[in-house]
Amino acid sequence: MAWFKRTKDHGLKTVKIPEGLWVKCDSCKEIIYKKEIDRNLKVCPKCNYHFRINANERVKLLADEGTFTEINPDITSADPLQFKDSMSYAERLKDNQKKSGLKEAVISGKAKINGHDVVLVIMDFAFMGGSMGSAVGEKIVRAAELALEEKIPLIAVSSSGGARMQEGIYSLMQMAKVSAAIGKLKDAAVPYISVISDPTFGGVTASFAMLGDIIIAEPRSLIGFAGPRVIEQTIKQQLPDNFQRAEFLLEHGLIDMIVERKDMKATLAKLIEHLKGA
Amino acid sequence: MGYYLEFEKPIEELELKIEELKRLSDGKDIDITAEIKRLEKKAKDLRSDIFNNLSRWQKTQLARHPDRPYTLDYISMIAEDFVELHGDRMFADDPAIVGGLGKINGTSVMLIGHQKGRGVKERIKRNFGQPHPEGYRKALRLMKLAEKFKKIIVTFIDTPGAYPGIGAEERGQAEAIARNLMEMSRLRTPIISIVIGEGGSGGAIAIGVADRLYMLEHSVYSVISPEGCASILWRKNGDLKTEDFSRAADALKLTAQDLLGFKVIHDIIPEPLGGAHRDPEGAAKNIKDTISKAIEELKTKMPGKLIEERYRRLRKIGAFLNGTQT
Ligand SMILES: [Zn+2]
């Protein structure tokens, strides 16, 4: 419960790169020339802080140029609960579509990574905090089914506040649905690599993100089940340094490795070669 | 006398009056006897009036009622020869999840459930029914044991959620839940799950991937609590009030009746008038009848077909649009 809170709170404050020529790094507070950050894959050249990137930037980073073919681009959310707060869920969806230029919080497709066929699933935190509702769940399951059918690796890059509150029980059930689909890949020995980026919480961590045959995280990404604010309120103690950072997860044996953005594609290619090769 | 929720108070008043009269009466005073009869009927009508018109927020409170029977209460009423098994074999035994072997109608089954405590000491010991990763890992260990020895699994869901704490994160709360979801989807033995109280999000579904999913009449099951939902939506407007929780509960549509309407659950198990806590034996009997029927339906299914049907059922859950078609 309450995984969503974090999307708005200090633990996971949105790191937006403002328009303009200069940018203040959220981590080291240095003022840096924006083009320098862009050239550096949106990683701070001073402190190696990995700024959040959107789904399309992620595709460019991982897929061989021109090889990404999107699948199921038209799957979007319905509003099964007729959920309404200050704004109806239907309006909120439209709003997020306009803001992010995406139809949903995940894009999926076939691509090549250094020549290897893969199915790519990429979440975008900019669309309703990357939350998982029915449309996201369905797109992930279909991507897994395609990987299974074609016996090619599934690579999922997550970034999410968790399950999508506005779809109630339907969102919760997506956790079981996507986990069951990943289970089918395991039975068929089709590789599944989970790449976790900042931030990933709740029902996404507690389903496909932690089920990779291999789990990779970007440096300093915040990753967990419950959000830091909820934990702090529950235990009424200060949280330790580095709590829920990628480095903390590595130390506790929960992920295989931390890989910098610039090395991600080569690392994935190497792993695919190992898993698929002789 | 037990604990009465705000909306149960009118019933409490009547019941106290009836008791008072019963104490005064020696059974010979015809007037008093008639009055008792009249009040008893009134109490019954009042109860059915209140319980047939519960709001979603009232049902949420009922689902958390401190007198409501918990997993071990039901196990003691429906199973014979129960032997509790402990520990995840890795770190600890989590008292917030219990499990073990017991017989239902002469058949050995694996019974697993969240366990809340009664009274301050036990509540703390059970961590208010909020498991740590080792609770989920114990549950999975017992489920694998059941699979190996071809035992049907019955799970009881009753938790506010998985515990949000430092140790829980260090030991992989998310991984433990995710693994259970995946493994339960392909366990080669039948799984029957019943929400008996609170179905609190990921911490609930982590033992709830099943061939048959039921909810007690006054239980709730949701992706987030009404309080959590209200806090996200309206906290910025100042302190939250009961109406906010009530609005959130209505928005979330979290009752057994809602979920049956969504076809997320198979059926609703009726509770005795006034709720399971007013007649635990009656509630237990209804649960046992439902489990017995489900066992009959599932016990002869071949494992391959069983997990294929389980997958297909999960696969279908979702409401989305695909271009123009829905
Ligand atoms: Zn920096």
Side-chain angles (χ1 to χ4, degrees):
Chain A
M1 16 180 302
W3 310 324
F4 315 87
K5 292 179 182 170
R6 275 159 278 103
T7 60
K8 283 178 188 158
D9 285 287
H10 62 89
L12 304 180
K13 63 193 150 213
T14 318
V15 183
K16 269 206 189 127
I17 300 182
E19 296 306 310
L21 291 177
W22 299 91
V23 170
K24 186 177 174 185
C25 171
D26 201 65
S27 183
C28 68
K29 313 291 179 203
E30 291 273 339
I31 307 288
I32 302 147
Y33 191 46
K34 184 173 180 292
K35 280 205 176 132
E36 203 184 343
I37 294 185
D38 290 345
R39 265 200 303 271
N40 200 31
L41 309 169
K42 299 221 167 143
V43 173
C44 173
K46 303 270 189 251
C47 75
N48 201 29
Y49 178 78
H50 284 52
F51 287 86
R52 284 180 200 161
I53 60 175
N54 68 37
N56 289 317
E57 289 168 323
R58 186 76 65 181
V59 168
K60 280 199 201 103
L61 194 76
L62 299 180
D64 297 347
E65 208 182 329
T67 62
F68 182 75
T69 325
E70 193 176 357
I71 54 167
N72 304 306
D74 296 323
I75 292 182
T76 55
S77 295
D79 182 8
L81 268 52
Q82 303 284 301
F83 194 96
K84 196 169 176 355
D85 49 274
S86 56
M87 186 194 276
S88 75
Y89 176 41
E91 286 170 78
R92 197 173 290 282
L93 285 167
K94 272 196 207 122
D95 203 48
N96 275 272
Q97 285 167 348
K98 223 192 288 168
K99 267 194 334 215
S100 67
L102 297 168
K103 288 187 176 169
E104 250 304 331
V106 71
I107 60 171
S108 55
K110 273 187 74 173
K112 285 187 195 288
I113 293 181
N114 287 0
H116 299 285
D117 285 316
V118 298
V119 175
L120 263 184
V121 165
I122 295 174
M123 302 191 89
D124 196 319
F125 196 77
F127 192 103
M128 287 190 80
S131 56
M132 178 165 69
S134 300
V136 169
E138 183 68 20
K139 286 179 85 165
I140 292 168
V141 169
R142 289 194 189 192
E145 285 172 347
L146 179 65
L148 182 67
E149 199 184 297
E150 304 208 356
K151 301 245 180 294
I152 55 176
L154 174 70
I155 318 270
V157 184
S158 49
S159 178
S160 172
R164 189 173 296 171
M165 181 174 75
Q166 288 84 350
E167 290 184 36
I169 194 73
Y170 286 98
S171 296
L172 186 66
M173 291 290 153
Q174 301 310 305
M175 290 171 63
K177 177 166 143 178
V178 299
S179 301
I182 299 299
K184 297 233 158 197
L185 295 182
K186 306 248 164 173
D187 288 336
V190 171
Y192 165 44
I193 302 175
S194 170
V195 177
I196 310 183
S197 69
D198 182 67
T200 299
F201 277 88
V204 166
T205 319
S207 64
F208 66 95
M210 287 309 293
L211 291 174
D213 293 309
I214 292 166
I215 305 176
I216 305 173
E218 280 197 328
R220 304 217 9 102
S221 299
L222 269 175
I223 305 161
F225 177 67
R229 200 180 60 85
V230 174
I231 296 174
E232 226 160 32
Q233 280 176 353
T234 306
I235 63 173
K236 297 179 174 66
Q237 280 173 41
Q238 272 226 315
L239 299 173
D241 278 353
N242 256 12
F243 184 63
Q244 295 183 319
R245 296 278 175 195
E247 293 73 15
F248 171 94
L249 273 82
L250 184 71
E251 189 187 322
H252 288 283
L254 296 167
I255 58 175
D256 287 283
M257 59 185 127
I258 294 170
V259 174
E260 291 190 16
R261 197 167 280 166
K262 64 177 166 52
D263 301 325
M264 192 63 82
K265 182 176 179 178
T267 305
L268 289 172
K270 214 186 292 173
L271 286 167
I272 294 166
E273 275 160 33
H274 279 306
L275 293 172
K276 302 267 302 183
Chain B
M1 285 269 94
Y3 176 90
Y4 287 83
L5 293 166
E6 202 49 46
F7 61 86
E8 292 178 293
K9 289 272 156 75
I11 302 171
E12 180 185 21
E13 272 168 38
L14 266 179
E15 282 178 348
L16 287 175
K17 219 181 273 175
I18 293 167
E19 253 177 55
E20 177 85 24
L21 282 177
K22 277 184 176 163
R23 225 175 312 128
L24 291 172
S25 152
D26 51 6
K28 284 174 196 150
D29 189 325
I30 291 163
D31 286 348
I32 294 183
T33 313
E35 178 64 6
I36 290 172
K37 270 215 165 132
R38 193 183 70 80
L39 288 179
E40 276 176 340
K41 177 165 187 317
K42 198 175 162 193
K44 192 173 168 241
D45 290 347
L46 184 66
R47 201 174 281 162
S48 85
D49 197 43
I50 290 173
F51 277 79
N52 288 328
N53 295 291
L54 292 171
S55 72
R56 292 188 176 96
W57 175 239
Q58 286 172 328
K59 285 212 182 225
T60 306
Q61 291 169 283
L62 210 49
R64 301 168 178 167
H65 199 294
D67 293 339
R68 205 169 163 82
Y70 297 144
T71 294
L72 285 174
D73 299 321
Y74 285 126
I75 288 176
S76 74
M77 290 184 281
I78 67 174
E80 284 119 56
D81 300 337
F82 179 66
V83 185
E84 190 179 344
L85 304 169
H86 293 272
D88 67 347
R89 300 290 191 273
M90 287 186 246
F91 182 77
D93 181 46
D94 185 349
I97 288 188
V98 295
L101 290 158
K103 283 184 180 173
I104 292 182
N105 301 326
T107 307
S108 287
V109 296
M110 183 63 80
L111 300 143
I112 296 167
H114 300 103
Q115 181 65 36
K116 293 180 177 178
R118 225 177 288 285
V120 176
K121 227 176 115 186
E122 187 167 342
R123 260 183 223 153
I124 290 167
K125 176 186 158 195
R126 302 284 182 189
N127 200 27
F128 305 89
Q130 303 168 97
H132 281 75
E134 39 279 13
Y136 296 114
R137 291 180 180 133
K138 168 167 74 177
L140 184 59
R141 180 177 77 81
L142 298 184
M143 289 191 260
K144 295 255 184 185
L145 191 69
E147 180 185 46
K148 179 175 174 183
F149 292 99
K150 299 188 166 57
K151 304 298 173 203
I152 289 176
I153 297 163
V154 180
T155 71
F156 299 94
I157 295 168
D158 190 16
T159 181
Y163 187 64
I166 293 175
E169 297 289 323
E170 284 174 337
R171 300 193 292 278
Q173 186 75 286
E175 193 276 345
I177 293 170
R179 181 164 304 278
N180 279 20
L181 297 177
M182 183 179 78
E183 294 295 346
M184 287 185 85
S185 76
R186 55 196 204 142
L187 272 181
R188 298 173 71 82
T189 191
I191 308 170
I192 300 161
S193 290
I194 304 164
V195 183
I196 57 171
E198 261 183 298
S201 201
I205 198 171
I207 59 165
V209 180
D211 300 295
R212 292 286 184 278
L213 176 60
Y214 304 101
M215 286 176 77
L216 275 182
E217 189 180 344
H218 305 307
S219 65
V220 294
Y221 196 4
S222 179
V223 71
I224 186 169
S225 68
E227 292 95 327
C229 175
S231 158
I232 290 170
L233 295 178
W234 304 305
R235 190 186 35 183
K236 54 185 177 291
N237 306 339
D239 282 346
L240 294 169
K241 299 185 192 68
T242 307
E243 305 94 82
D244 297 319
F245 304 146
S246 190
R247 257 171 82 199
D250 283 337
L252 287 167
K253 301 193 168 62
L254 74 186
T255 65
Q257 294 71 26
D258 290 323
L259 268 61
L260 185 65
F262 297 145
K263 298 194 173 75
V264 168
I265 61 170
H266 285 86
D267 212 346
I268 295 171
I269 303 175
E271 293 185 31
L273 187 58
H277 57 296
R278 293 280 171 250
D279 178 10
E281 292 282 346
K285 187 190 170 294
N286 294 348
I287 288 177
K288 189 174 178 180
D289 288 347
T290 300
I291 294 174
S292 306
K293 205 178 93 210
I295 288 176
E296 284 311 304
E297 287 167 17
L298 296 169
K299 71 177 181 192
T300 53
K301 274 200 202 291
M302 298 303 288
K305 189 168 183 325
L306 189 74
I307 53 176
E308 193 195 310
E309 287 178 6
R310 191 184 303 151
Y311 182 76
R312 254 191 278 141
R313 207 181 71 77
L314 279 177
R315 180 73 188 78
K316 272 200 315 223
I317 301 179
F320 59 90
L321 310 169
N322 194 354
T324 48
Q325 59 183 122
T326 54

